[in-house]
């Protein structure tokens, strides 16, 4: 159980952080002894390597993990977050270089090998934005679109990559802007062609999807609002509407400095951007427009949902809006920071921890709660290094840039290193928003489920000292999501490179998302006043890194994966209802299950053998099994990718191209069903997934047919 130790320390805003719960006496004693020995040795032997206080055995592994947990500091995390969020730091702007320097200097001060990976990417900024409305009584309103009037440091609310232009037309309310919403409008005789649509952001369709569907329906422009009202402050949610991820002018290859860039007129570039303009609105401004609408009453299924009342009208009527956006597309340098802790025995195998650094505004939650946790993990790792620890495998601590524009920094890095990642990456551990509220949430590829739960057992719950994070996770949530979504930096690693991945966060959501009010003050007043949740997240995240880097046999469980595949097949079978046969999947999953069982039995035998680093034969057997478990996830990749989203290669977990897709897995099959493809086309997609599962089985089994 985590028992972090820290000293009382005032923050810059004058709020004092109380000490976290004291560690048990044994852990304190070990911690002090380790530091005394390491310090004494270093003072008297400055050019020598400190004595190895932690050898590879179970007892010392537990001691190491306790030391990692006990060296936590909520005050240090608070200080880092305060420094990172002093100014807005949108990617490509001058203030973003300050956060780059802060992160780089932090890792270098710890003695870590720290390097920059730089790229050039096309980023989008607003130059001029306006919105006016004329109502039925001929009155007009010029809306104030900023959520912090007069603060020129904060970028005005906009949608990155929305095309420049104006749109004038009657307003139609389209609910969440999904296909089913347009069908509901058609049933009451309402068309959006030639109109400006007003949509409230929902859970299943992102802003880019809302704009894409509206464009296909003939709308002239799109206004999008969130119903949470920016936490009561009138905040406006910024975001991107670009389709796909990564630099749009170097699609499929890394945007290295001086490398090939497509022209803005190239079809591969233009298809990434919408054809109609869009703007974000505050709830307050949206309600003014909603209240003015005439026309038909909202469909029954929309009423009394959220803030849509029973008498809501949808238009079109006499309310007309005129929206104007003048944007700027600029080539900007993107800077990733990569700190390396070289492995002692398998330096060519990599465990990667990543978080992005850039923010739409101040970014206290998104993403710098995660950045401050990552920096503290680096500090804690340096404590272990000074005690003589070296991970078996290499650990990379990565700070990505330009994620908010479409995971650009991490995607370019993955594209540049995709072959080496495929050959040597063990896992990718992502934390974007470390803390946005209460409750632990996570998504992962299934072979990591058991490891994740084991790590949660070791960390004290930040809100109840009598429990572990696992205790509260199982009582409050107990669902490990699957990573088919594309909303953070794990996407390139999993969906394109086939790297087993985890994504974690505290809090289901938060009201100041992407607004000017995502600040340090909001964090200490609402989400984590004493930074206990930050400490817990850093504890889980760092432990996962240590275990994956140190365990002689990588703790992957492919039986869990096989069980999940069985569940996916059963759900698909119910959805198909005789439209196509799932027999190819059944056969492939049966084979995968058998191989997974063999791998687990082999791992158990290898773990039971006494560890001896000088036993070359045993080391070779472990290395062989580890490589097979590492490569099995790559088997789910298909070179042709998902139809309509070919850059995404993973056929089990990946983004569906069709918004109407009903499954959170098997994206190609889901798309074929959504567009009412022929039985033959659906069957073809089933066969594609079956072949991918067979490839994964062969990778896990090893050898040749």
């Amino acid at each position: 159980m985590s028992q972090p130790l820290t000293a009382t320390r005032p923050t810059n805003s004058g709020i004092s952080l109380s000490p976290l719960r004291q560690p048990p006496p044994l852990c304190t004693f070990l911690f002090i002894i380790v530091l005394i020995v390491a310090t004494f040795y270093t003072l008297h032997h400055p050019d020598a390597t400190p004595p190895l206080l932690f050898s590879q055995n179970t007892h010392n592994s537990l001691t190491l993990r306790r030391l990692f947990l006990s060296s936590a500091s909520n005050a240090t995390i608070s200080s880092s977050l305060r420094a990172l969020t002093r100014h807005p730091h949108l990617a490509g702007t001058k203030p973003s270089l300050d956060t780059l320097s802060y992160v780089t200097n932090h890792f270098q001060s710890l003695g870590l090998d720290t390097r920059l990976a730089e790229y050039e990417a096309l980023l989008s900024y607003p130059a001029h934005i306006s919105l006016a409305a004329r109502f039925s009584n001929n009155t007009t309103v010029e809306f104030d679109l900023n959520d912090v009037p007069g603060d020129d440091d904060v970028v005005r609310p906009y949608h990155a990559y929305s095309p420049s232009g104006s749109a004038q037309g009657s307003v139609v309310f389209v609910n969440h802007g999904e296909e089913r919403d347009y069908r509901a409008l058609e049933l009451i005789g309402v068309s959006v062609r030639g109109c400006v649509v007003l949509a409230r952001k929902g859970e299943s369709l992102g802003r880019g999807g809302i704009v894409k569907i509206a464009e296909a329906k003939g709308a002239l422009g799109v206004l999008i609002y969130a119903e949470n009202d920016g936490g009561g402050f009138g905040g406006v949610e910024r975001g991107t509407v670009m389709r796909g991820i990564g630099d749009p002018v170097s699609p499929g290859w890394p945007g290295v400095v001086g490398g090939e860039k497509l022209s803005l007129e190239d079809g591969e570039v233009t298809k990434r951007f919408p054809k109609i303009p869009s703007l974000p609105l505050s709830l307050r401004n949206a309600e003014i427009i909603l209240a003015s609408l005439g026309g038909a009453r909202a469909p029954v299924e929309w009423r009394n949902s959220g803030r849509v009342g029973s008498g809501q009208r949808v238009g079109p009527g006499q309310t007309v809006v005129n929206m104007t956006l003048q944007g700027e597309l600029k080539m900007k340098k993107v800077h990733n920071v990569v700190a390396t802790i070289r492995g002692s025995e398998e330096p060519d195998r990599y465990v990667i921890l990543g978080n992005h650094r850039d923010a739409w505004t101040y970014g206290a939650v998104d993403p710098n709660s995660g950045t401050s946790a990552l920096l503290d993990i680096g500090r804690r790792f340096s404590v272990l290094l000074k005690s003589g620890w070296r991970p078996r495998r290499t650990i990379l601590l990565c700070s990505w840039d330009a994620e908010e524009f479409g995971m650009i920094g991490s995607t370019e890095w993955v594209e540049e290193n995709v072959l080496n990642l495929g050959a040597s990456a063990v896992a990718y551990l992502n934390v974007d928003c470390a803390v946005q509220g209460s409750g632990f949430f996570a998504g992962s590829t299934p072979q990591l489920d058991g490891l994740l739960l084991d790590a949660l057992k070791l960390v004290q719950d930040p809100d109840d000292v009598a429990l572990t994070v696992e205790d509260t996770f199982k009582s409050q949530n107990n669902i490990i999501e699957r990573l088919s979504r594309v909303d953070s930096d794990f996407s390139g690693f999993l969906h394109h490179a086939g790297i087993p991945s985890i994504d974690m966060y505290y809090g289901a959501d938060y009201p100041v998302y992407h607004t000017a009010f995502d600040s340090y003050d909001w964090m200490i007043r609402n989400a984590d006043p004493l930074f206990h949740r930050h400490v817990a997240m850093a504890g889980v995240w760092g432990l996962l890194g240590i275990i994956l880097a140190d365990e002689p046999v990588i703790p992957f469980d492919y039986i869990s994966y096989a069980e999940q595949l069985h569940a996916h097949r059963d759900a698909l079978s119910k959805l198909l209802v005789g439209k196509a046969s799932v027999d190819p999947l059944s056969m492939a999953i049966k084979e995968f299950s058998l191989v997974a069982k063999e791998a687990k039995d082999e791992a158990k035998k290898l773990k039971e053998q006494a560890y001896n680093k000088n036993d070359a034969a045993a080391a070779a057997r472990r290395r062989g099994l580890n490589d097979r478990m590492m490569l099995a996830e790559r088997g789910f990749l298909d070179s042709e990718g998902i139809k309509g989203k070919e850059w995404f290669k993973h056929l089990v977990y990946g983004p569906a191209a069709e918004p109407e897709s009903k499954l959170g897995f098997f994206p190609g099959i889901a798309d074929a069903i959504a567009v009412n493809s022929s039985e033959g086309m659906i069957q073809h997609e089933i066969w594609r997934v079956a072949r991918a599962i067979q490839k994964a089985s062969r990778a896990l089994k090893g050898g040749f047919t």
Side-chain angles (χ1 to χ4, degrees), residues 188-521:
I188 59 175
V190 176
S191 170
V192 303
R193 185 166 297 279
C195 297
V196 174
V197 303
L198 175 62
R200 54 174 175 163
K201 193 177 175 205
E203 296 182 358
S204 61
L205 190 62
R207 66 187 72 84
I210 293 172
V211 176
K212 181 179 181 180
I213 294 175
E215 179 185 314
K217 301 297 181 183
L220 300 178
V222 183
L223 301 171
I224 303 175
Y225 70 96
E227 288 192 313
N228 57 30
D229 193 28
F233 301 109
V236 185
E237 182 185 307
R238 298 145 179 84
T240 182
V241 291
M242 182 176 69
R243 296 158 189 172
I245 65 175
D247 174 31
V249 295
S250 60
W253 63 88
V256 296
V257 177
E260 180 187 8
K261 305 290 182 182
L262 300 181
S263 72
L264 294 181
E265 292 74 32
D266 191 288
E268 289 298 309
V269 178
T270 58
K271 74 179 185 180
R272 300 283 295 275
F273 306 147
K275 301 295 189 295
I276 60 174
S278 64
L279 288 174
L281 280 186
S282 67
L283 175 62
R284 193 174 309 154
N285 287 338
E287 287 181 332
I288 292 173
I289 297 174
L290 283 168
S292 73
L293 295 181
R297 291 180 65 190
V300 174
E301 58 268 31
W302 301 3
R303 300 177 201 168
N304 300 314
S305 169
R307 293 177 181 247
V308 176
S310 59
Q312 180 64 55
R313 305 281 176 170
V314 298
Q318 296 184 45
T319 297
V320 176
V321 297
N322 189 337
M323 58 184 292
T324 300
L325 166 64
Q326 185 62 44
E328 296 178 318
L329 293 171
K330 298 180 179 181
M331 293 301 301
K332 292 283 188 176
K333 276 196 175 179
V334 171
H335 312 270
N336 296 330
V337 184
V338 181
T340 301
I341 301 174
R342 188 67 56 189
S344 60
E345 295 184 40
E346 298 181 71
D348 58 344
R349 294 293 178 263
Y350 298 86
V351 176
I352 307 169
L353 285 69
N355 155 267
H356 76 93
R357 188 179 64 252
D358 64 298
W360 286 113
T361 63
Y362 296 96
V365 174
D366 184 6
N368 298 134
S369 60
T371 311
S372 59
L374 183 68
L375 297 182
D376 196 60
I377 288 171
R379 182 191 61 79
R380 293 201 234 176
F381 282 173
S382 74
V383 171
L384 303 187
L385 289 168
K386 289 175 183 176
S387 74
W389 168 74
R390 290 293 182 276
R392 168 188 297 275
R393 305 176 186 92
T394 297
I395 296 175
L396 302 182
L397 305 177
C398 301
S399 173
W400 311 118
D401 198 3
E403 186 269 358
E404 298 293 7
F405 287 91
M407 282 68 80
I408 288 177
S410 61
T411 297
E412 301 312 302
W413 192 82
V414 166
E415 288 178 337
E416 184 173 27
N417 297 283
V418 65
L419 289 180
N420 289 342
L421 286 169
S424 58
V426 174
Y428 176 69
L429 310 176
N430 188 71
V431 172
D432 191 323
C433 306
V435 180
Q436 50 194 29
S438 63
F440 181 85
F441 294 84
S444 77
T445 45
Q447 75 275 59
L448 287 164
D449 289 356
L451 171 62
L452 175 59
L453 293 175
D454 286 343
L456 298 186
K457 294 174 184 176
L458 300 174
V459 178
Q460 181 176 277
D461 184 83
D463 301 307
D464 190 332
V465 297
L467 302 173
T468 67
V469 177
E470 188 217 21
D471 293 330
T472 52
F473 174 69
K474 286 193 169 182
S475 65
Q476 297 174 4
N477 182 13
N478 202 28
I479 297 174
I480 299 177
E481 301 170 344
R482 296 301 166 224
L483 297 176
S484 290
R485 51 190 169 85
V486 183
D487 58 3
S488 194
D489 291 300
F490 62 81
S491 182
F493 288 90
L494 175 59
H495 301 146
H496 188 71
I499 311 301
S501 297
I502 292 178
D503 181 55
M504 302 175 290
Y505 49 100
Y506 256 94
D509 52 30
Y510 66 109
V512 295
Y513 173 70
H514 286 188
T515 76
F517 304 102
D518 182 5
S519 66
Y520 180 86
D521 284 343

Side-chain angles (χ1 to χ4, degrees), residues 126 129 145-147 154-159 236-238 279-280:
I129 295 173
L145 300 179
N146 209 345
D147 45 5
V154 178
V155 68
R156 299 190 71 189
Y158 78 113
H159 288 160
V236 185
E237 182 185 307
R238 298 145 179 84
L279 288 174

